[in-house]
Amino acid sequence: MLWRNLRSAAESGWDFSSRWTHPRHAGSGTAFSLASTDVLSVVPIDLNAMLFKSLHALATMVEQVMEHAGRPELGSVAQAMRDKARDLGSGIKALLFDQDSSLFLDLWTRGEPPAPDVRGPATAACVVAAWAGLYEDAPAGSAEKLRLLLERKDEIGPRELRCRGGLQTTAAMSGEQWDAPNAWPPLQHMAVEGLKTLGFWEDAKQLAEDWLESTHDAWLQTSAMFEKMDARQPGRGGGGGEYVIQEGFGWSNGVALCFLLDFATGEEAA
């Protein structure tokens, strides 16, 4: 079972992270161990939000083919995808929206009996719900709760995600690369796009500018772009995990270019 969980964690992209440790163990004060990885017990908010957005994107592409190729029979295919997205969205809102925090969070579905289902802590994964458009028809005030989570703080508390150098992946200092203090470019981009979708342009701009400043400082010091950054120390590449930090890097360059296009010229990046 451990190997299945480790393979699933690697497939998730978050390899590895305290996110995949049951909140009961994560809060016990014991040192993090990969042996506690239990991805198979998690209903992840980011994966389901991505599927939701992908279904709508596929439906849009089918509709474009239908229009430009004169294929009216494809209308039922597009509608079927919209219906699946609607059903999935309803399920996400019913199961993964946490009434207490007003955030979309992971749900743990398996534990030692008679442990009930529990919510995971807030991580950067919760921004994917906003990026995917799941805040439409969400309870009043929930968008503001997400904005406050993503608002830059002068002092970083033990549960804060937003730092001077960007949005750290979790608030846990486990030594793994998908935990604090690391910040990953795709999550910065999703957070910025989510904030824009919700109408919080100033917060989106602040996060983008903080990220660009950090990556630019790192480039000036090292002549390199890094796959991940240290959110708590702007201008410094990230660390931890099972390998030396990689230089390059496709998504780092892509996110920087998108932010420059969006906020330096006012144009929307493709």
Side-chain angles (χ1 to χ4, degrees), residues 135-191:
Y135 273 82
E136 184 178 348
D137 299 326
S142 55
E144 175 64 14
K145 286 292 184 68
L146 181 65
R147 188 197 71 80
L148 291 173
L149 181 72
L150 302 181
E151 185 179 50
R152 189 174 69 176
K153 314 296 192 302
D154 292 330
E155 296 185 6
I156 306 302
R159 296 185 180 181
E160 299 291 350
L161 298 178
R162 181 69 162 91
C163 304
R164 291 187 301 116
L167 181 68
Q168 56 185 5
T169 314
T170 74
M173 300 284 285
S174 72
E176 293 298 330
Q177 62 173 352
W178 286 84
D179 276 318
N182 287 340
W184 292 80
L187 290 171
Q188 314 306 306
H189 185 260
M190 288 179 173

Short mmCIF file of all heavy atoms in Angstrom, two decimals, residues 135-191:
data_model
loop_
_atom_site.label_atom_id
_atom_site.label_comp_id
_atom_site.label_asym_id
_atom_site.label_seq_id
_atom_site.Cartn_x
_atom_site.Cartn_y
_atom_site.Cartn_z
N TYR A 135 -16.03 29.30 -7.93
CA TYR A 135 -16.59 30.23 -6.95
C TYR A 135 -17.89 30.86 -7.43
O TYR A 135 -18.55 31.57 -6.68
CB TYR A 135 -15.57 31.30 -6.58
CG TYR A 135 -14.67 30.88 -5.45
CD1 TYR A 135 -13.56 30.08 -5.68
CD2 TYR A 135 -14.96 31.25 -4.14
CE1 TYR A 135 -12.74 29.67 -4.64
CE2 TYR A 135 -14.15 30.85 -3.09
CZ TYR A 135 -13.04 30.06 -3.34
OH TYR A 135 -12.25 29.66 -2.30
N GLU A 136 -18.27 30.58 -8.66
CA GLU A 136 -19.58 31.04 -9.12
C GLU A 136 -20.66 30.35 -8.30
O GLU A 136 -20.66 29.13 -8.15
CB GLU A 136 -19.76 30.72 -10.61
CG GLU A 136 -21.05 31.24 -11.19
CD GLU A 136 -21.17 30.94 -12.67
OE1 GLU A 136 -20.18 30.53 -13.29
OE2 GLU A 136 -22.28 31.12 -13.21
N ASP A 137 -21.57 31.13 -7.73
CA ASP A 137 -22.65 30.64 -6.87
C ASP A 137 -22.14 30.10 -5.53
O ASP A 137 -22.90 29.42 -4.81
CB ASP A 137 -23.46 29.53 -7.57
CG ASP A 137 -24.11 30.02 -8.86
OD1 ASP A 137 -24.50 31.20 -8.89
OD2 ASP A 137 -24.21 29.24 -9.80
N ALA A 138 -20.89 30.36 -5.19
CA ALA A 138 -20.39 29.96 -3.87
C ALA A 138 -21.01 30.86 -2.80
O ALA A 138 -21.47 31.97 -3.10
CB ALA A 138 -18.87 30.07 -3.82
N PRO A 139 -21.05 30.39 -1.55
CA PRO A 139 -21.67 31.19 -0.48
C PRO A 139 -21.06 32.58 -0.38
O PRO A 139 -19.87 32.79 -0.64
CB PRO A 139 -21.38 30.36 0.78
CG PRO A 139 -21.28 28.96 0.29
CD PRO A 139 -20.63 29.06 -1.06
N ALA A 140 -21.88 33.53 0.02
CA ALA A 140 -21.42 34.92 0.16
C ALA A 140 -20.26 35.01 1.14
O ALA A 140 -20.26 34.36 2.18
CB ALA A 140 -22.58 35.79 0.65
N GLY A 141 -19.27 35.77 0.76
CA GLY A 141 -18.10 35.97 1.62
C GLY A 141 -16.98 35.00 1.38
O GLY A 141 -15.86 35.21 1.87
N SER A 142 -17.22 33.92 0.63
CA SER A 142 -16.17 32.92 0.44
C SER A 142 -15.03 33.44 -0.44
O SER A 142 -13.86 33.13 -0.19
CB SER A 142 -16.75 31.64 -0.16
OG SER A 142 -17.43 31.90 -1.37
N ALA A 143 -15.36 34.25 -1.44
CA ALA A 143 -14.31 34.82 -2.28
C ALA A 143 -13.41 35.73 -1.46
O ALA A 143 -12.18 35.74 -1.63
CB ALA A 143 -14.92 35.57 -3.45
N GLU A 144 -14.00 36.50 -0.56
CA GLU A 144 -13.21 37.39 0.30
C GLU A 144 -12.30 36.58 1.23
O GLU A 144 -11.17 36.99 1.51
CB GLU A 144 -14.13 38.30 1.10
CG GLU A 144 -13.42 39.19 2.11
CD GLU A 144 -12.48 40.21 1.48
OE1 GLU A 144 -12.55 40.42 0.24
OE2 GLU A 144 -11.69 40.80 2.23
N LYS A 145 -12.77 35.44 1.70
CA LYS A 145 -11.93 34.58 2.54
C LYS A 145 -10.70 34.10 1.77
O LYS A 145 -9.60 34.06 2.31
CB LYS A 145 -12.74 33.38 3.05
CG LYS A 145 -13.75 33.73 4.13
CD LYS A 145 -13.05 34.15 5.41
CE LYS A 145 -14.04 34.40 6.54
NZ LYS A 145 -14.71 33.18 7.01
N LEU A 146 -10.90 33.76 0.51
CA LEU A 146 -9.75 33.35 -0.31
C LEU A 146 -8.82 34.53 -0.53
O LEU A 146 -7.58 34.38 -0.46
CB LEU A 146 -10.22 32.80 -1.65
CG LEU A 146 -9.10 32.32 -2.59
CD1 LEU A 146 -8.37 31.12 -1.99
CD2 LEU A 146 -9.66 31.97 -3.97
N ARG A 147 -9.36 35.70 -0.78
CA ARG A 147 -8.51 36.89 -0.97
C ARG A 147 -7.65 37.14 0.27
O ARG A 147 -6.46 37.44 0.16
CB ARG A 147 -9.37 38.12 -1.27
CG ARG A 147 -8.54 39.34 -1.65
CD ARG A 147 -9.33 40.63 -1.55
NE ARG A 147 -9.58 41.00 -0.17
CZ ARG A 147 -8.69 41.60 0.61
NH1 ARG A 147 -7.47 41.87 0.18
NH2 ARG A 147 -9.01 41.91 1.86
N LEU A 148 -8.25 37.03 1.44
CA LEU A 148 -7.50 37.25 2.67
C LEU A 148 -6.40 36.21 2.84
O LEU A 148 -5.31 36.52 3.34
CB LEU A 148 -8.45 37.21 3.88
CG LEU A 148 -9.42 38.38 3.98
CD1 LEU A 148 -10.41 38.14 5.12
CD2 LEU A 148 -8.67 39.69 4.20
N LEU A 149 -6.67 34.97 2.41
CA LEU A 149 -5.64 33.93 2.49
C LEU A 149 -4.45 34.28 1.60
O LEU A 149 -3.30 33.98 1.94
CB LEU A 149 -6.23 32.59 2.06
CG LEU A 149 -5.29 31.38 2.11
CD1 LEU A 149 -5.01 30.96 3.55
CD2 LEU A 149 -5.88 30.21 1.33
N LEU A 150 -4.73 34.92 0.46
CA LEU A 150 -3.70 35.24 -0.52
C LEU A 150 -3.12 36.65 -0.36
O LEU A 150 -2.28 37.06 -1.15
CB LEU A 150 -4.26 35.08 -1.94
CG LEU A 150 -4.82 33.69 -2.28
CD1 LEU A 150 -5.32 33.67 -3.71
CD2 LEU A 150 -3.77 32.62 -2.07
N GLU A 151 -3.58 37.38 0.64
CA GLU A 151 -3.09 38.73 0.87
C GLU A 151 -1.72 38.68 1.54
O GLU A 151 -1.50 37.93 2.49
CB GLU A 151 -4.08 39.47 1.78
CG GLU A 151 -3.73 40.93 2.01
CD GLU A 151 -4.77 41.60 2.89
OE1 GLU A 151 -5.10 41.05 3.96
OE2 GLU A 151 -5.26 42.68 2.52
N ARG A 152 -0.79 39.49 1.04
CA ARG A 152 0.57 39.48 1.59
C ARG A 152 0.57 40.00 3.02
O ARG A 152 -0.04 41.02 3.32
CB ARG A 152 1.51 40.32 0.74
CG ARG A 152 2.98 40.15 1.15
CD ARG A 152 3.92 40.87 0.22
NE ARG A 152 3.80 42.32 0.35
CZ ARG A 152 4.57 43.19 -0.31
NH1 ARG A 152 5.48 42.73 -1.16
NH2 ARG A 152 4.42 44.48 -0.15
N LYS A 153 1.28 39.28 3.89
CA LYS A 153 1.38 39.65 5.30
C LYS A 153 2.80 40.14 5.59
O LYS A 153 3.78 39.62 5.04
CB LYS A 153 1.07 38.45 6.20
CG LYS A 153 -0.17 37.65 5.81
CD LYS A 153 -1.43 38.44 5.91
CE LYS A 153 -2.68 37.55 5.81
NZ LYS A 153 -2.78 36.76 4.57
N ASP A 154 2.90 41.13 6.47
CA ASP A 154 4.22 41.62 6.88
C ASP A 154 4.94 40.60 7.75
O ASP A 154 6.17 40.45 7.69
CB ASP A 154 4.09 42.94 7.63
CG ASP A 154 3.60 44.07 6.73
OD1 ASP A 154 3.90 44.02 5.52
OD2 ASP A 154 2.93 44.99 7.22
N GLU A 155 4.18 39.89 8.57
CA GLU A 155 4.75 38.85 9.42
C GLU A 155 4.07 37.53 9.09
O GLU A 155 2.84 37.47 8.97
CB GLU A 155 4.57 39.18 10.90
CG GLU A 155 5.32 40.44 11.34
CD GLU A 155 5.22 40.67 12.83
OE1 GLU A 155 4.66 39.79 13.53
OE2 GLU A 155 5.69 41.72 13.30
N ILE A 156 4.87 36.47 8.97
CA ILE A 156 4.35 35.17 8.56
C ILE A 156 4.03 34.33 9.79
O ILE A 156 4.92 33.96 10.56
CB ILE A 156 5.36 34.42 7.66
CG1 ILE A 156 5.78 35.30 6.49
CG2 ILE A 156 4.75 33.11 7.17
CD1 ILE A 156 4.63 35.77 5.63
N GLY A 157 2.76 34.05 9.98
CA GLY A 157 2.33 33.20 11.08
C GLY A 157 2.50 31.73 10.72
O GLY A 157 2.82 31.38 9.58
N PRO A 158 2.25 30.85 11.68
CA PRO A 158 2.49 29.41 11.45
C PRO A 158 1.57 28.79 10.42
O PRO A 158 1.88 27.71 9.90
CB PRO A 158 2.27 28.80 12.85
CG PRO A 158 1.41 29.80 13.57
CD PRO A 158 1.82 31.14 13.06
N ARG A 159 0.45 29.43 10.11
CA ARG A 159 -0.48 28.86 9.13
C ARG A 159 -0.60 29.71 7.87
O ARG A 159 -1.46 29.45 7.03
CB ARG A 159 -1.87 28.70 9.77
CG ARG A 159 -1.88 27.69 10.93
CD ARG A 159 -3.30 27.48 11.44
NE ARG A 159 -3.33 26.52 12.53
CZ ARG A 159 -4.43 26.14 13.17
NH1 ARG A 159 -5.60 26.66 12.80
NH2 ARG A 159 -4.38 25.26 14.16
N GLU A 160 0.23 30.71 7.74
CA GLU A 160 0.15 31.61 6.59
C GLU A 160 0.77 30.96 5.35
O GLU A 160 1.77 30.25 5.43
CB GLU A 160 0.86 32.93 6.88
CG GLU A 160 0.28 33.72 8.05
CD GLU A 160 -1.09 34.28 7.74
OE1 GLU A 160 -1.52 34.22 6.58
OE2 GLU A 160 -1.73 34.78 8.68
N LEU A 161 0.17 31.24 4.21
CA LEU A 161 0.70 30.77 2.93
C LEU A 161 1.37 31.89 2.13
O LEU A 161 2.33 31.65 1.41
CB LEU A 161 -0.42 30.15 2.09
CG LEU A 161 -1.12 28.92 2.67
CD1 LEU A 161 -2.24 28.48 1.73
CD2 LEU A 161 -0.13 27.78 2.88
N ARG A 162 0.85 33.11 2.27
CA ARG A 162 1.34 34.23 1.45
C ARG A 162 2.54 34.88 2.12
O ARG A 162 2.49 35.33 3.26
CB ARG A 162 0.21 35.24 1.28
CG ARG A 162 0.58 36.44 0.44
CD ARG A 162 0.81 36.09 -1.03
NE ARG A 162 0.73 37.30 -1.85
CZ ARG A 162 1.79 38.05 -2.16
NH1 ARG A 162 3.00 37.70 -1.76
NH2 ARG A 162 1.62 39.13 -2.90
N CYS A 163 3.64 34.93 1.38
CA CYS A 163 4.89 35.51 1.89
C CYS A 163 5.35 36.61 0.95
O CYS A 163 4.76 36.85 -0.11
CB CYS A 163 5.96 34.43 2.00
SG CYS A 163 5.50 33.01 3.00
N ARG A 164 6.44 37.27 1.30
CA ARG A 164 6.95 38.37 0.47
C ARG A 164 7.37 37.90 -0.91
O ARG A 164 7.31 38.67 -1.87
CB ARG A 164 8.13 39.05 1.17
CG ARG A 164 7.75 39.83 2.42
CD ARG A 164 8.94 40.62 2.96
NE ARG A 164 10.07 39.77 3.28
CZ ARG A 164 11.25 39.82 2.68
NH1 ARG A 164 11.46 40.71 1.73
NH2 ARG A 164 12.22 39.02 3.04
N GLY A 165 7.78 36.64 -1.02
CA GLY A 165 8.25 36.13 -2.30
C GLY A 165 7.24 35.31 -3.06
O GLY A 165 7.58 34.67 -4.05
N GLY A 166 6.00 35.31 -2.61
CA GLY A 166 4.97 34.55 -3.31
C GLY A 166 4.15 33.68 -2.38
O GLY A 166 4.12 33.89 -1.16
N LEU A 167 3.49 32.72 -2.96
CA LEU A 167 2.57 31.84 -2.24
C LEU A 167 3.26 30.50 -1.99
O LEU A 167 3.52 29.75 -2.94
CB LEU A 167 1.31 31.64 -3.07
CG LEU A 167 0.19 30.77 -2.49
CD1 LEU A 167 -0.45 31.45 -1.29
CD2 LEU A 167 -0.85 30.46 -3.56
N GLN A 168 3.57 30.20 -0.72
CA GLN A 168 4.22 28.93 -0.44
C GLN A 168 3.18 27.80 -0.53
O GLN A 168 1.99 28.00 -0.34
CB GLN A 168 4.94 28.93 0.90
CG GLN A 168 4.13 29.27 2.11
CD GLN A 168 5.01 29.35 3.37
OE1 GLN A 168 6.23 29.24 3.33
NE2 GLN A 168 4.37 29.55 4.50
N THR A 169 3.67 26.62 -0.82
CA THR A 169 2.78 25.51 -1.18
C THR A 169 1.92 25.06 0.00
O THR A 169 0.73 24.83 -0.15
CB THR A 169 3.62 24.34 -1.72
OG1 THR A 169 4.57 24.85 -2.66
CG2 THR A 169 2.75 23.32 -2.40
N THR A 170 2.53 24.87 1.15
CA THR A 170 1.80 24.63 2.40
C THR A 170 2.48 25.47 3.47
O THR A 170 3.50 26.12 3.21
CB THR A 170 1.83 23.15 2.83
OG1 THR A 170 3.13 22.83 3.34
CG2 THR A 170 1.50 22.21 1.66
N ALA A 171 1.94 25.42 4.68
CA ALA A 171 2.56 26.14 5.79
C ALA A 171 3.48 25.24 6.60
O ALA A 171 4.07 25.68 7.59
CB ALA A 171 1.48 26.71 6.71
N ALA A 172 3.64 23.98 6.19
CA ALA A 172 4.42 23.00 6.96
C ALA A 172 5.87 22.97 6.49
O ALA A 172 6.14 22.87 5.29
CB ALA A 172 3.81 21.62 6.84
N MET A 173 6.80 23.04 7.42
CA MET A 173 8.23 22.95 7.12
C MET A 173 8.68 21.50 7.31
O MET A 173 9.21 21.12 8.35
CB MET A 173 9.02 23.89 8.03
CG MET A 173 8.63 25.35 7.90
SD MET A 173 9.29 26.14 6.40
CE MET A 173 11.01 26.32 6.86
N SER A 174 8.44 20.68 6.30
CA SER A 174 8.72 19.24 6.42
C SER A 174 10.06 18.84 5.84
O SER A 174 10.53 17.73 6.07
CB SER A 174 7.62 18.45 5.71
OG SER A 174 7.76 18.59 4.30
N GLY A 175 10.66 19.72 5.03
CA GLY A 175 11.86 19.35 4.30
C GLY A 175 11.59 18.80 2.92
O GLY A 175 12.51 18.57 2.14
N GLU A 176 10.30 18.58 2.59
CA GLU A 176 9.92 18.13 1.26
C GLU A 176 9.69 19.33 0.35
O GLU A 176 9.39 20.43 0.81
CB GLU A 176 8.66 17.26 1.32
CG GLU A 176 8.87 15.93 2.04
CD GLU A 176 9.90 15.05 1.35
OE1 GLU A 176 10.03 15.14 0.11
OE2 GLU A 176 10.58 14.26 2.05
N GLN A 177 9.80 19.09 -0.96
CA GLN A 177 9.80 20.23 -1.87
C GLN A 177 8.40 20.81 -2.13
O GLN A 177 8.29 21.95 -2.57
CB GLN A 177 10.48 19.87 -3.18
CG GLN A 177 9.82 18.75 -3.97
CD GLN A 177 10.47 18.57 -5.34
OE1 GLN A 177 11.30 19.38 -5.76
NE2 GLN A 177 10.08 17.53 -6.05
N TRP A 178 7.34 20.06 -1.84
CA TRP A 178 6.00 20.61 -1.99
C TRP A 178 5.43 21.02 -0.63
O TRP A 178 4.27 20.79 -0.32
CB TRP A 178 5.09 19.63 -2.73
CG TRP A 178 5.43 19.60 -4.19
CD1 TRP A 178 6.41 18.87 -4.78
CD2 TRP A 178 4.85 20.39 -5.23
NE1 TRP A 178 6.46 19.13 -6.13
CE2 TRP A 178 5.51 20.05 -6.44
CE3 TRP A 178 3.82 21.33 -5.27
CZ2 TRP A 178 5.18 20.64 -7.66
CZ3 TRP A 178 3.49 21.91 -6.49
CH2 TRP A 178 4.16 21.56 -7.67
N ASP A 179 6.29 21.62 0.17
CA ASP A 179 5.92 22.21 1.45
C ASP A 179 6.63 23.55 1.59
O ASP A 179 7.40 23.95 0.71
CB ASP A 179 6.31 21.28 2.61
CG ASP A 179 5.26 20.20 2.88
OD1 ASP A 179 4.05 20.52 2.85
OD2 ASP A 179 5.63 19.03 3.12
N ALA A 180 6.37 24.24 2.70
CA ALA A 180 7.06 25.50 2.97
C ALA A 180 8.57 25.26 3.06
O ALA A 180 9.00 24.20 3.49
CB ALA A 180 6.54 26.08 4.29
N PRO A 181 9.35 26.24 2.61
CA PRO A 181 8.94 27.56 2.12
C PRO A 181 8.83 27.65 0.60
O PRO A 181 8.83 28.75 0.06
CB PRO A 181 10.09 28.43 2.62
CG PRO A 181 11.29 27.55 2.46
CD PRO A 181 10.81 26.16 2.80
N ASN A 182 8.74 26.50 -0.06
CA ASN A 182 8.80 26.52 -1.52
C ASN A 182 7.53 27.09 -2.16
O ASN A 182 6.41 26.84 -1.69
CB ASN A 182 9.04 25.11 -2.06
CG ASN A 182 10.46 24.64 -1.81
OD1 ASN A 182 11.37 25.45 -1.58
ND2 ASN A 182 10.67 23.34 -1.84
N ALA A 183 7.74 27.83 -3.24
CA ALA A 183 6.66 28.38 -4.05
C ALA A 183 6.89 27.93 -5.49
O ALA A 183 8.00 28.06 -6.01
CB ALA A 183 6.64 29.90 -3.96
N TRP A 184 5.84 27.40 -6.12
CA TRP A 184 5.96 26.83 -7.45
C TRP A 184 5.25 27.71 -8.48
O TRP A 184 4.13 28.17 -8.24
CB TRP A 184 5.38 25.42 -7.47
CG TRP A 184 6.19 24.45 -6.67
CD1 TRP A 184 6.17 24.27 -5.32
CD2 TRP A 184 7.16 23.54 -7.18
NE1 TRP A 184 7.06 23.30 -4.96
CE2 TRP A 184 7.69 22.82 -6.07
CE3 TRP A 184 7.65 23.23 -8.46
CZ2 TRP A 184 8.67 21.84 -6.21
CZ3 TRP A 184 8.61 22.26 -8.59
CH2 TRP A 184 9.12 21.57 -7.49
N PRO A 185 5.87 27.93 -9.63
CA PRO A 185 5.29 28.85 -10.63
C PRO A 185 3.86 28.55 -11.05
O PRO A 185 3.04 29.48 -11.12
CB PRO A 185 6.27 28.73 -11.81
CG PRO A 185 7.57 28.34 -11.18
CD PRO A 185 7.22 27.46 -10.03
N PRO A 186 3.49 27.27 -11.34
CA PRO A 186 2.10 27.06 -11.79
C PRO A 186 1.06 27.49 -10.76
O PRO A 186 0.00 28.01 -11.13
CB PRO A 186 2.04 25.54 -12.02
CG PRO A 186 3.45 25.13 -12.25
CD PRO A 186 4.26 26.02 -11.36
N LEU A 187 1.37 27.31 -9.48
CA LEU A 187 0.42 27.70 -8.45
C LEU A 187 0.33 29.21 -8.30
O LEU A 187 -0.73 29.76 -7.98
CB LEU A 187 0.80 27.05 -7.12
CG LEU A 187 0.59 25.53 -7.06
CD1 LEU A 187 1.20 24.95 -5.79
CD2 LEU A 187 -0.89 25.18 -7.15
N GLN A 188 1.46 29.92 -8.56
CA GLN A 188 1.40 31.39 -8.55
C GLN A 188 0.48 31.86 -9.68
O GLN A 188 -0.33 32.78 -9.50
CB GLN A 188 2.79 32.00 -8.74
CG GLN A 188 3.89 31.39 -7.89
CD GLN A 188 3.59 31.37 -6.41
OE1 GLN A 188 3.28 32.40 -5.81
NE2 GLN A 188 3.71 30.19 -5.79
N HIS A 189 0.62 31.23 -10.83
CA HIS A 189 -0.18 31.63 -11.99
C HIS A 189 -1.66 31.35 -11.74
O HIS A 189 -2.53 32.20 -12.03
CB HIS A 189 0.30 30.87 -13.23
CG HIS A 189 -0.39 31.29 -14.50
ND1 HIS A 189 -1.43 30.57 -15.06
CD2 HIS A 189 -0.22 32.36 -15.29
CE1 HIS A 189 -1.84 31.18 -16.15
NE2 HIS A 189 -1.13 32.27 -16.32
N MET A 190 -1.96 30.18 -11.20
CA MET A 190 -3.36 29.86 -10.91
C MET A 190 -3.94 30.79 -9.86
O MET A 190 -5.11 31.19 -9.94
CB MET A 190 -3.49 28.40 -10.46
CG MET A 190 -3.27 27.39 -11.56
SD MET A 190 -3.41 25.70 -10.95
CE MET A 190 -3.35 24.78 -12.49
N ALA A 191 -3.13 31.14 -8.86
CA ALA A 191 -3.60 32.08 -7.83
C ALA A 191 -3.90 33.44 -8.44
O ALA A 191 -4.94 34.06 -8.14
CB ALA A 191 -2.56 32.20 -6.72
#
